[in-house]
Amino acid sequence: MITLLDYGAGNVRSVRNAIRKLGFTVKDVTCAADIVAADKLVFPGVGSFGTVMERLIRDGYDKALQERIRLNRPLLGICVALQALFDGSEESPGVPGLGVIPGMIRRFATPGLSVPQIGWNGILPKKDSPLLADYKGEKLYFVHSYHAEVDDNCDDWLLATTCYGSEFVSAVEKGNVTAFQFHPEKSGRVGLAILNNFLCRQEGLAVSGVPSRVEKGGTTSLAKRIIACLDVRSNDAGDLVVTKGDQYDVREQGEVRNLGKPVDLARRYYEAGADEITFLNITGFRDFPLEDQPMLEVLKRTSENVFVPLTIGGGIRSFTAADGRYYSALDVASEYFRSGADKISIGSDAVYEVERYLAEGVKSGTSAIEQISIVYGAQAVVISIDPRRVYVASPDDTPHAAIATRFPGPDGERYCWYQCTVQGGREGRDIDVVQLAQVCELLGAGEILLNCIDRDGTNSGFDLELIAQVKKAVHIPVIASSGAGRAEHFIEVFTATNADAALAAGIFHRHEVGIDEVKKAVADAGIEVRR
Ligand code: 1PR
């Protein structure tokens, strides 16, 4: 029996599912006394530092956690839970942490680094721990903008470090209390093995090595991610299917293409080594997702067997239902997080919000991006952009951010800008990708999913000019999407641009190229990937 501290701040379902998958029963904390009394406690940290601390304090859980740690009762903290053990965080100035480990949590500040760190990185163990007994240098999943600094004050707690810009604390342990900055529940097989070590460990047998000082040397690096994308919608028979468009047209001879079942395909890609799975509910802009229960069900069922991050997009916006009840975008996103999503992606609504911002020049404070990012953290908010090329003879012919292109337009135009669209490419708006990406970053988005209508489904390779333009314009990670046709296209996108991840759909669905084949080719080209 494992006790789970779910304080309603995010995706705790994945942790719950991972524990169950390992054969344990999960019991929820219902009051502060449970925290002290639990045999083994898992404390997943989801959301911003301030939100986590506020909820802990509200229920008196902060004091109970401090008491449990003082008593050296088995505790596993994950992500922000590691950060909460420190004195405070730059993320939420003035909000005190649990103060168990001396020191502050700082934002990644190395120039040129994508922040948040999203993806798979290694760890450098600094002492022996039964929890890391199976760790053989594999990569684990991290997602965070803030980190604990390596500092002499926390030497007796230091279990592992990771390099991203500088070296930071990625695991702490003292006695029976352990916390990881990475997500074991999202780190595939190796993550589950680490989690299993905590669940199986006997109280009192915890300390296996003598705390040692930080060893110099060794390094880790963040891998480029390979993401499988499932465009999902109902077909004409009313079944929810994975479909795939050619330049966003998903019909073939009048019928919606059916490439398989969402839950089955997601599992197939997980087992094939995908670093993340993205679901796009492509008709979400016209349906209300909370009434569109099949998508929630898809997430719930997928998260039972898929232990890498899941992103869901489509229809994330505020909505007034037929009965007059108002749902904020945050309500919609929360339902997705509770159903197993780690990140949500916003398409059309982001375009409308950026238009509003550009017209008024001030943040509304109520946009979907701001609301979700404040509660769940920037790393949980992805902006899905659906741009289309607009050719011009000269950059002076448009107020938009035009680039010189190697692929001239139909009338020989040598410049183009990328127009943002809404409603799955159906409607173009007077706004370009650079405006959209920059304002979304300002509003609190943590990642860009950069599609390209011109390349979608063409197998002709990613639009490198588009990706380079957007990547240069923002500091948050950018996922290159649309057009992958061969393994070499992934090498190309990682060599010619600084894209943090590359996403593909058609080639994987049609079994034309395997995820392992892509990863092998990328690794052979000397680019870091998770194998
Ligand atoms: O506007 O917030 O409701 O979100 C709708 C979401 O649905 C957006 O993320 C939008 O990109 C997506 N979407 C809408 N219509 C379509 C369509 O195809 N008709 N799919 C669509 C977008 C693009 C990629 C695709 C890559 C890779 N699909 O996700 O998977 O282009 O494909 P490829 O490797 O086969 O080239 P909202």
Side-chain angles (χ1 to χ4, degrees), residues 229 231 244-245 248-250 280-282 284-285 313-316 345-349 384 386 423-424 426 451 455-458 481-484 503-507:
C229 182
D231 289 355
K244 185 67 212 66
Y248 284 37
D249 180 0
V250 298
L280 296 177
N281 177 5
I282 66 169
F285 65 87
I316 304 214
S345 107
I346 307 177
S348 307
D349 197 65
S384 172
D386 298 316
Q423 306 194 354
R426 285 168 182 78
N451 304 299
R455 295 293 177 112
D456 174 59
T458 61
S481 164
S482 305
L503 170 151
I507 51 167

Side-chain angles (χ1 to χ4, degrees), residues 247-267:
Q247 300 183 313
Y248 284 37
D249 180 0
V250 298
R251 289 185 183 271
E252 195 167 306
Q253 290 161 359
E255 301 270 310
V256 171
R257 274 194 201 96
N258 179 351
L259 294 166
K261 294 185 180 153
V263 179
D264 296 350
L265 273 190
R267 186 161 182 176

Side-chain angles (χ1 to χ4, degrees), residues 394-417:
S394 153
D396 300 333
D397 293 349
T398 172
H400 292 291
I403 53 161
T405 175
R406 290 194 300 123
F407 308 96
D411 297 319
E413 299 96 329
R414 307 211 59 92
Y415 295 88
C416 72
W417 64 280

Side-chain angles (χ1 to χ4, degrees), residues 227-233 243-251 259 278-287 289 312-317 345-352 382-387 421-426 449-453 455-462 480-485 490 503-510:
I227 302 176
C229 182
L230 312 180
D231 289 355
V232 179
R233 62 162 288 169
T243 189
K244 185 67 212 66
D246 289 331
Q247 300 183 313
Y248 284 37
D249 180 0
V250 298
R251 289 185 183 271
L259 294 166
T278 296
F279 294 101
L280 296 177
N281 177 5
I282 66 169
T283 50
F285 65 87
R286 60 175 177 234
D287 308 321
I312 173 100
I316 304 214
R317 62 178 196 282
S345 107
I346 307 177
S348 307
D349 197 65
V351 178
Y352 300 132
V382 183
I383 304 302
S384 172
I385 312 183
D386 298 316
T421 65
V422 292
Q423 306 194 354
R426 285 168 182 78
L449 165 51
L450 187 56
N451 304 299
C452 175
I453 299 178
R455 295 293 177 112
D456 174 59
T458 61
N459 285 20
S460 60
F462 297 96
S481 164
S482 305
F490 292 84
L503 170 151
I507 51 167
F508 297 148
H509 302 338
R510 295 186 299 263

Side-chain angles (χ1 to χ4, degrees), residues 56-269:
L56 292 179
I57 292 166
R58 181 192 66 190
D59 297 322
Y61 291 176
D62 56 333
K63 299 269 176 322
L65 280 166
Q66 286 160 333
E67 176 65 0
R68 182 174 183 91
I69 293 166
R70 197 187 62 73
L71 295 170
N72 191 28
R73 306 273 288 129
L75 167 70
L76 176 63
I78 299 172
C79 194
V80 188
L82 176 145
Q83 301 180 4
L85 297 176
F86 286 77
D87 292 326
S89 169
E90 285 179 0
E91 185 175 17
S92 311
V95 178
L98 294 171
V100 173
I101 307 177
M104 284 294 289
I105 303 298
R106 311 257 174 227
R107 189 173 163 85
F108 286 114
T110 308
L113 210 59
S114 295
V115 179
Q117 170 177 233
I118 300 184
W120 299 74
N121 203 333
I123 57 170
L124 300 168
K126 298 296 177 189
K127 61 179 171 181
D128 291 335
S129 163
L131 267 62
L132 299 181
D134 301 306
Y135 183 72
K136 305 271 184 303
E138 299 91 336
K139 292 194 185 289
L140 301 157
Y141 187 74
F142 287 82
V143 52
H144 57 134
S145 302
Y146 297 82
H147 66 281
E149 287 178 330
V150 179
D151 179 324
D152 285 352
N153 287 332
C154 64
D155 250 17
D156 55 340
W157 277 92
L158 192 64
L159 174 57
T161 61
T162 292
C163 304
Y164 191 61
S166 56
E167 195 172 354
F168 68 90
V169 178
S170 49
V172 293
E173 185 171 71
K174 195 170 178 183
N176 291 314
V177 178
T178 309
F180 300 138
Q181 180 60 63
F182 58 87
H183 287 262
E185 79 285 8
K186 286 285 151 190
S187 296
R189 272 182 207 93
V190 61
L192 291 186
I194 291 173
L195 187 58
N196 196 40
N197 288 343
F198 170 77
L199 304 178
C200 295
R201 164 169 101 168
Q202 294 301 307
E203 198 168 343
L205 299 179
V207 188
S208 84
V210 181
S212 57
R213 293 196 50 85
V214 180
E215 289 161 26
K216 294 282 178 230
T219 189
T220 69
S221 49
L222 182 67
K224 299 288 185 182
R225 284 168 283 153
I226 307 297
I227 302 176
C229 182
L230 312 180
D231 289 355
V232 179
R233 62 162 288 169
S234 295
N235 67 6
D236 302 300
D239 302 321
L240 200 67
V241 297
V242 174
T243 189
K244 185 67 212 66
D246 289 331
Q247 300 183 313
Y248 284 37
D249 180 0
V250 298
R251 289 185 183 271
E252 195 167 306
Q253 290 161 359
E255 301 270 310
V256 171
R257 274 194 201 96
N258 179 351
L259 294 166
K261 294 185 180 153
V263 179
D264 296 350
L265 273 190
R267 186 161 182 176
R268 181 179 118 201
Y269 295 140

Side-chain angles (χ1 to χ4, degrees), residues 21 120 184-192 228 263-277 302 304-310 515 519 530:
K21 181 82 179 173
W120 299 74
E185 79 285 8
K186 286 285 151 190
S187 296
R189 272 182 207 93
V190 61
L192 291 186
V263 179
D264 296 350
L265 273 190
R267 186 161 182 176
R268 181 179 118 201
Y269 295 140
Y270 166 62
E271 284 166 1
D275 296 321
E276 281 179 36
I277 313 280
T302 301
E304 282 168 15
N305 291 300
V306 173
F307 298 100
V308 293
L310 303 175
I515 291 172
K519 289 203 165 178
R530 174 181 77 111

Side-chain angles (χ1 to χ4, degrees), residues 312-323:
I312 173 100
I316 304 214
R317 62 178 196 282
S318 58
F319 188 85
T320 304
D323 62 5

